[in-house]
Amino acid sequence: MIAARPSRPSRIASAAALLMLAGPLQVQAQTPPPDKLERVEITGSAIKRIEGETALPVQVITRAEIDKAGVTTAAELLARVSASANNLTDGGSVAYGGFRDQMGFNAANLRGLGVSSTLVLLNGRRVANFASPGDAAGVDLNSIPAAALQRVEILLDGASSLYGSDAIGGVINFITRKDFSGVEVSALAGNTTEGGGGNKRSATLAGGYGDYARDGFNLFGVLDVQKATSLNASRRKFIKDLDIPGRLPDLLSSYTFPGNLRPTSAQRDILISEGFKTNGKTVIDSRTINPAAASGCNPPANLYLPAGIGGVDGCTFDYMRDIELYPESTKGSMFGRGVFNLGGGHQLFAEVSLARAKTLYTGTPNRVDPDIDVGLIPALKGSSLNQLPAGDEDRLMTVRTRLTEAGLRTSELLSTTNRFVLGTNGVLSGWDYEWALNHSTSTVSDRDRLGYLNEQMVLDGFANGTLNPFGPSSAAGLALYEKAQIRGEVRRATGTMDSLDFKMSKALMPLAGGDLALALGGELRREKQNYHQSDALKQDLILGETSQGPDSDFGKSRKVNAVFGEISAPITKQLELQAALRYEHYQVSGGAASPKLGLKYVPMPELLLRASVGRGFRAPSLTDLYRPLTEGSSATLVDPVCLAADPSNTPTDCSEGWITYNYSNAKLKPEKSRQYSAGVVFEPRRGVNLNLDYWNIEKTNLISTLGVDVILSNLAKYGSLVHRDADDAIDHIDLVKENRGKQKISGLDIGASLTGLKTGVGQFGLRLNGTLTLRSLQQTGDGDPYVSNLNVFINDGVVQRWRHTVSVDWESGPFGLTLSNSYLQGYNDQHIIGKPDIKVAAYSLWNLSGAWEATKALTLRAGVQNLFDKAPPFSQQAWFFLSGYDPSYTDPRGRYAYVSAKYSFR
């Protein structure tokens, strides 16, 4: 929150800081005496000023709010911001099951415009983007030292004119403490009340030495360590209550143990002529068959589920019965800052930020499709297939099996981010100036630990009978599984950002409302990205991993240059004009100018009106431009061609996680944007504050890849992207990065605050922060009709129409309580071909926290998140690997209670 109050005696101006709400809790900033007022810089302007409120809407989360909420990471904190939607979270990351890009990436997504359109800053400067290549380009929130934060400022308006091309959706500026002396020690312990995992422990040590005003220097450092335990689906009742086998049988798996047989048409005809039965009732009539079907398929994970993907003659694997919902992680960060008085109005500052996150992902056992001689299949030894001569192709039958005996697929994702900043600031010839060098790196190491095997060794083991796909293997088979294990690093990505930035501002001349001020600045930046696969992965030796081939390694870099100017003109005491212009040039992708114009009008002390209009652009990422061809897997979706081929076919018969080929595009052009906003801030009396802001953003020339669900739902237009085999079954689907179509989104940000309500039992406060999205539309191609993801799950997520956080505070002496609620409106679920459409229920969580200031040095806190143990609502979405609910915004842990203590030595 801005630590300076406006110089003019306006009630609305003094309330400005209180109106910048970003979370369920809010406290008032400390205001220095009038003779100590100093100009400060806030997010959204490069001009230092006394007043905190500008023409652009800025929301603030204070340190007190963070402490009250009991959150310990930046990702947890931003999940409570109503203006964010479809963030990347640990829940969503584990939901990919280890088969998709950018595991371990936690990222913010303002307005639902995409991670790549949200700029994250640390103390007003950039941090290197998460290094792993993928569709999202942005800062990993694990790299933000949450324990060192003083506040978070969120600019809810496009800011390309000041900060650069990736600020179309807005800017999130994490601001650390600047001048601190003494020592603080804090610790937190939290457990889920249902048990079984999802617990957290954290400890923080903060220290500062030197009083800048007295000693001319200050050194400050924070060390934070936290550990979270994993949570398995078997330990959560809500997974059973979702009844996934009964409601979503097609989203389960046909890779089972004992394995399913997949005979060819000729083999099936022979078995049918012999009256072969697997379910004990009817002669086989489907492609997937399993002799274990008659005896129940080896439950509880393997089920006889006639409506399941295994069908009436086979078995279905219910991976949601025993899978990780929340990963085990260890996260640590160290942040240090030093400031030194150089004399003559100049200051030297230096920052060091080191962050490390180790996340352990545990998925289902690996799977394979070996071709096995029918003589090694016990159920077929009496079949005429076993009488065929050696070498006959019909002696080999495909078995779709899961390698339970080889262990769960387990991978370790190690992400480190380092950032070093050195610069000076001060006053020179009447100009406030600042420059800095910024060196930041992101390194991501993806390591296989268990369950990833040498594929050829496994196939040979099945071919010679050493491995048994139908029951327990011999000691030799178990030894082969151990010998085939491939452990160690399989992928490594490194991203580097080096920059030199500078800015200066000055009051040029007096106007009727104050000084006409000018700011000028610029940036020189170099970005690098390197990606490497292990030799085993390049050679495609690893079962369970998708190789990008022998030429998969790449290393690319580019230069980015920018200059900007800003002017603030208080034309009268009631009317202020703010204008900015930035020109930014990306090597290869070109450049563009991004203008911005804002107005602030205060017609009376109780009322402030503001408006802005601007343009921006977003350059494609290095991944968008240069990443080599990547093989991946789609969500489990229905092939409409299969569904139409036979009236008896069901969505289950035609569902599969289709192979995808993902292409970059070196000819991509930047996206363009234009946005405008208009708002009002109203304080009818002191302590009662209301704000309403309308915002509207349109993006053109979108950099996008068509979703597989979009392609399959419009084969008349996109059928050329679907490649089929001789049987007309899907072989693979091409996903190509292109500039296509437009996106439109608009809405209202609503805030309300009631503070200082004194009663006989204590002081109360009430705060509300909400976002009402009015429209969210996107074209899949130029000239195509717009498709809405407003309250509709499309492709990879949904933008809920209404999201809010609301809280009630109570304080009395050393005691305080806060009751808060976060709410996300229900929506229409993802449309699945062949299934009826359904609605997903609203998701509302209540949280309670309390604090006791036992002494001036010791503060004790306790709280309960998800007070009423709300379970994630049912969803049939097929984007995430986890089925039955949407893990991108829900918390599978259930009720979570925590206690914390902080002791300060001053």
Side-chain angles (χ1 to χ4, degrees):
M1 187 169 291
I2 306 306
R5 186 169 289 180
S7 56
R8 58 186 174 85
S10 165
R11 283 197 294 164
I12 190 65
S14 64
L18 288 174
L19 286 161
M20 292 186 277
L21 303 174
L25 314 172
Q26 193 76 20
V27 297
Q28 186 168 356
Q30 296 298 313
T31 305
D35 60 342
K36 298 288 186 180
L37 286 176
E38 59 179 321
R39 292 176 299 159
V40 296
E41 184 179 315
I42 66 169
T43 306
S45 175
I47 296 173
K48 291 188 175 183
R49 62 189 74 217
I50 295 293
E51 296 207 20
E53 190 74 35
T54 70
L56 305 179
V58 178
Q59 297 182 344
V60 173
I61 306 174
T62 67
R63 180 74 245 176
E65 293 173 32
I66 298 171
D67 290 339
K68 287 182 179 181
V71 298
T72 61
T73 68
E76 292 174 332
L77 182 63
L78 293 183
R80 297 167 177 255
V81 176
S82 65
S84 65
N86 205 15
N87 294 341
L88 296 183
T89 66
D90 273 337
S93 184
V94 72
Y96 291 137
F99 309 120
R100 300 188 185 177
D101 299 327
Q102 300 185 306
M103 282 199 312
F105 188 17
N106 285 198
N109 186 355
L110 289 176
R111 308 300 191 200
L113 286 171
V115 169
S116 303
S117 293
T118 300
L119 177 59
V120 172
L121 304 174
L122 179 60
N123 288 330
R125 288 187 170 84
R126 291 174 177 266
V127 182
N129 285 344
F130 189 72
S132 287
D135 289 334
V139 173
D140 183 14
L141 295 178
N142 289 316
S143 68
I144 300 299
L149 297 179
Q150 181 66 30
R151 66 184 186 276
V152 183
E153 294 180 351
I154 304 174
L155 176 62
L156 296 175
D157 193 82
S160 296
S161 58
L162 285 177
Y163 297 108
S165 73
D166 38 5
I168 290 176
V171 178
I172 302 172
N173 190 9
F174 292 92
I175 300 172
T176 63
R177 299 177 182 183
K178 293 294 196 302
D179 190 1
F180 173 80
S181 60
V183 176
E184 283 185 359
V185 179
S186 60
L188 178 145
N191 284 4
T192 57
T193 59
E194 193 174 347
N199 304 325
K200 181 188 291 187
R201 303 289 185 268
S202 71
T204 303
L205 174 64
Y209 179 70
D211 184 304
Y212 186 81
R214 182 189 65 224
D215 305 321
F217 74 92
N218 177 256
L219 299 174
F220 167 65
V222 177
L223 177 65
D224 179 69
V225 179
Q226 51 188 287
K227 182 177 179 61
T229 60
S230 65
L231 177 63
N232 191 278
S234 63
R235 307 304 299 268
R236 282 298 171 265
K237 181 178 179 293
F238 86 89
I239 293 293
K240 297 178 182 177
D241 294 341
L242 289 174
D243 185 22
I244 295 168
R247 301 164 82 176
L248 298 172
D250 56 307
L251 293 188
L252 300 179
S253 174
S254 59
Y255 288 85
T256 59
F257 183 75
N260 281 321
L261 307 180
R262 300 277 286 182
T264 64
S265 297
Q267 291 170 331
R268 188 164 60 249
D269 290 342
I270 292 174
L271 293 174
I272 291 173
S273 69
E274 295 175 347
F276 188 69
K277 299 178 182 180
T278 57
N279 58 20
K281 299 176 183 178
T282 60
V283 176
I284 61 169
D285 63 359
S286 56
R287 185 177 180 187
T288 300
I289 62 178
N290 196 314
S295 58
C297 291
N298 191 24
N302 301 280
L303 305 173
Y304 178 62
L305 197 64
I309 200 165
V312 295
D313 299 311
C315 297
T316 296
F317 178 64
D318 181 8
Y319 61 84
M320 286 301 298
R321 198 173 288 261
D322 183 21
I323 192 172
E324 193 174 70
L325 303 179
Y326 206 79
E328 174 186 332
S329 66
T330 303
K331 301 178 181 181
S333 67
M334 191 281 285
F335 178 82
R337 178 178 170 87
V339 291
F340 304 89
N341 190 345
L342 299 177
H346 305 285
Q347 180 186 86
L348 172 71
F349 62 90
E351 292 180 6
V352 177
S353 179
L354 310 175
R356 182 179 187 270
K358 183 174 73 172
T359 310
L360 200 63
Y361 292 99
T362 301
T364 56
N366 219 322
R367 59 188 195 176
V368 70
D369 299 88
D371 291 329
I372 298 179
D373 189 274
V374 292
L376 296 176
I377 302 175
L380 299 182
K381 285 185 176 180
S383 168
S384 60
L385 290 172
N386 197 26
Q387 306 303 316
L388 296 172
D392 191 300
E393 64 178 12
D394 282 336
R395 286 196 63 91
L396 293 180
M397 184 174 291
T398 301
V399 180
R400 181 169 283 189
T401 189
R402 195 165 291 273
L403 309 182
T404 304
E405 295 175 315
L408 299 176
R409 275 174 288 187
T410 304
S411 60
E412 177 185 282
L413 199 290
L414 183 63
S415 171
T416 60
T417 305
N418 301 327
R419 179 175 178 269
F420 305 91
V421 176
L422 178 68
T424 66
N425 59 32
V427 179
L428 187 63
S429 300
W431 289 84
D432 286 307
Y433 79 91
E434 181 169 306
W435 70 269
L437 292 169
N438 181 355
H439 173 70
S440 182
T441 62
S442 169
T443 303
V444 181
S445 174
D446 188 359
R447 305 172 181 180
D448 288 344
R449 293 181 54 166
L450 181 68
Y452 293 94
L453 310 166
N454 183 301
E455 184 171 6
Q456 193 58 52
M457 290 176 65
V458 170
L459 294 176
D460 292 343
F462 281 114
N464 61 32
T466 306
L467 300 177
N468 182 7
F470 308 108
S473 295
S474 64
L478 296 178
L480 178 59
Y481 276 133
E482 178 58 31
K483 185 178 179 181
Q485 297 280 351
I486 294 181
R487 297 181 172 94
E489 185 178 79
V490 291
R491 300 178 187 86
R492 185 175 186 86
T494 304
T496 305
M497 185 210 67
D498 293 293
S499 70
L500 168 65
D501 67 81
F502 62 94
K503 57 190 172 185
M504 54 187 183
S505 63
K506 182 180 182 180
L508 299 180
M509 58 180 290
L511 298 178
D515 290 333
L516 173 68
L518 172 68
L520 300 171
E523 181 183 21
L524 304 174
R525 189 167 80 246
R526 183 179 179 86
E527 301 173 347
K528 297 180 182 179
Q529 186 177 27
N530 292 281
Y531 179 72
H532 170 71
Q533 286 191 139
S534 69
D535 290 340
L537 192 54
K538 287 179 184 178
Q539 298 168 28
D540 200 16
L541 301 180
I542 308 176
L543 181 65
E545 294 278 11
T546 55
S547 173
Q548 294 168 225
D551 300 321
S552 57
D553 289 8
F554 75 95
K556 294 292 182 179
S557 66
R558 65 181 174 189
K559 296 178 181 178
V560 184
N561 303 317
V563 293
F564 73 86
E566 180 190 0
I567 191 167
S568 173
I571 299 171
T572 69
K573 292 187 178 297
Q574 291 76 37
L575 180 64
E576 179 181 342
L577 169 69
Q578 180 182 346
L581 177 67
R582 181 186 183 96
Y583 180 80
E584 192 165 22
H585 183 272
Y586 279 74
Q587 187 178 6
V588 177
S589 299
S594 301
K596 188 81 172 184
L597 179 66
L599 288 171
K600 182 181 73 173
Y601 179 53
V602 185
M604 62 184 69
E606 298 83 10
L607 184 66
L608 180 149
L609 305 176
R610 59 190 175 200
S612 68
V613 61
R615 289 182 175 272
F617 86 111
R618 182 180 79 82
S621 69
L622 291 172
T623 297
D624 294 335
L625 294 169
Y626 302 120
R627 187 182 187 182
L629 172 65
T630 305
E631 181 180 320
S633 176
S634 77
T636 302
L637 294 168
V638 178
D639 176 13
V641 171
C642 167
L643 202 62
D646 188 335
S648 66
N649 282 347
T650 67
T652 298
D653 298 325
C654 299
S655 293
E656 189 63 83
W658 310 110
I659 294 173
T660 59
Y661 289 174
N662 305 276
Y663 296 86
S664 60
N665 185 350
K667 296 181 180 180
L668 286 172
K669 299 178 181 179
E671 294 179 344
K672 299 294 181 66
S673 73
R674 58 184 181 184
Q675 57 271 334
Y676 60 90
S677 65
V680 56
V681 182
F682 181 52
E683 184 194 15
R685 63 180 181 85
R686 185 172 297 277
V688 179
N689 306 283
L690 307 169
N691 71 286
L692 178 68
D693 286 280
Y694 171 79
W695 47 271
N696 187 301
I697 303 171
E698 180 176 340
K699 292 167 63 175
T700 59
N701 220 29
L702 293 180
I703 301 170
S704 67
T705 300
L706 292 174
V708 174
D709 57 344
V710 172
I711 293 171
L712 293 179
S713 64
N714 191 356
L715 292 177
K717 183 169 185 177
Y718 302 120
S720 61
L721 299 174
V722 181
H723 300 266
R724 299 180 180 272
D725 60 21
D727 295 328
D728 217 19
I730 295 176
D731 180 76
H732 69 274
I733 300 173
D734 289 340
L735 302 180
V736 184
K737 288 275 185 182
E738 289 183 351
N739 292 105
R740 54 164 69 86
K742 300 178 181 179
Q743 183 177 14
K744 298 179 179 180
I745 186 167
S746 62
L748 297 169
D749 289 328
I750 301 167
S753 174
L754 172 62
T755 60
L757 182 60
K758 297 181 179 180
T759 70
V761 294
Q763 181 170 289
F764 288 87
L766 172 68
R767 293 158 186 88
L768 166 71
N769 180 50
T771 295
L772 177 67
T773 304
L774 301 177
R775 69 173 181 174
S776 181
L777 303 169
Q778 184 170 334
Q779 292 175 310
T780 55
D782 294 329
D784 284 358
Y786 282 94
V787 177
S788 173
N789 70 339
L790 178 60
N791 261 20
V792 181
F793 192 110
I794 298 290
N795 189 21
D796 62 349
V798 61
V799 174
Q800 288 95 346
R801 184 182 299 275
W802 172 251
R803 304 162 63 101
H804 79 237
T805 55
V806 62
S807 70
V808 177
D809 292 334
W810 169 82
E811 293 182 359
S812 180
F815 299 99
L817 285 174
T818 297
L819 177 66
S820 66
N821 170 253
S822 60
Y823 176 87
L824 288 83
Q825 184 178 349
Y827 57 88
N828 294 321
D829 207 359
Q830 186 175 25
H831 173 70
I832 305 295
I833 297 172
K835 289 186 180 182
D837 292 334
I838 68 169
K839 291 185 178 293
V840 178
Y843 191 58
S844 179
L845 299 183
W846 289 90
N847 308 304
L848 178 66
S849 67
W852 174 37
E853 191 175 315
T855 68
K856 289 186 177 180
L858 177 63
T859 300
L860 303 176
R861 296 185 183 275
V864 180
Q865 297 174 1
N866 194 356
L867 185 64
F868 300 109
D869 203 18
K870 175 76 172 179
F874 174 76
S875 167
Q876 67 180 13
Q877 62 78 23
W879 168 254
F880 296 102
F881 182 70
L882 295 181
S883 296
Y885 71 103
D886 185 340
S888 68
Y889 69 87
T890 55
D891 189 344
R893 295 178 302 170
R895 187 187 295 115
Y896 168 82
Y898 65 91
V899 293
S900 68
K902 180 174 70 174
Y903 194 87
S904 302
F905 304 87
R906 297 286 183 174

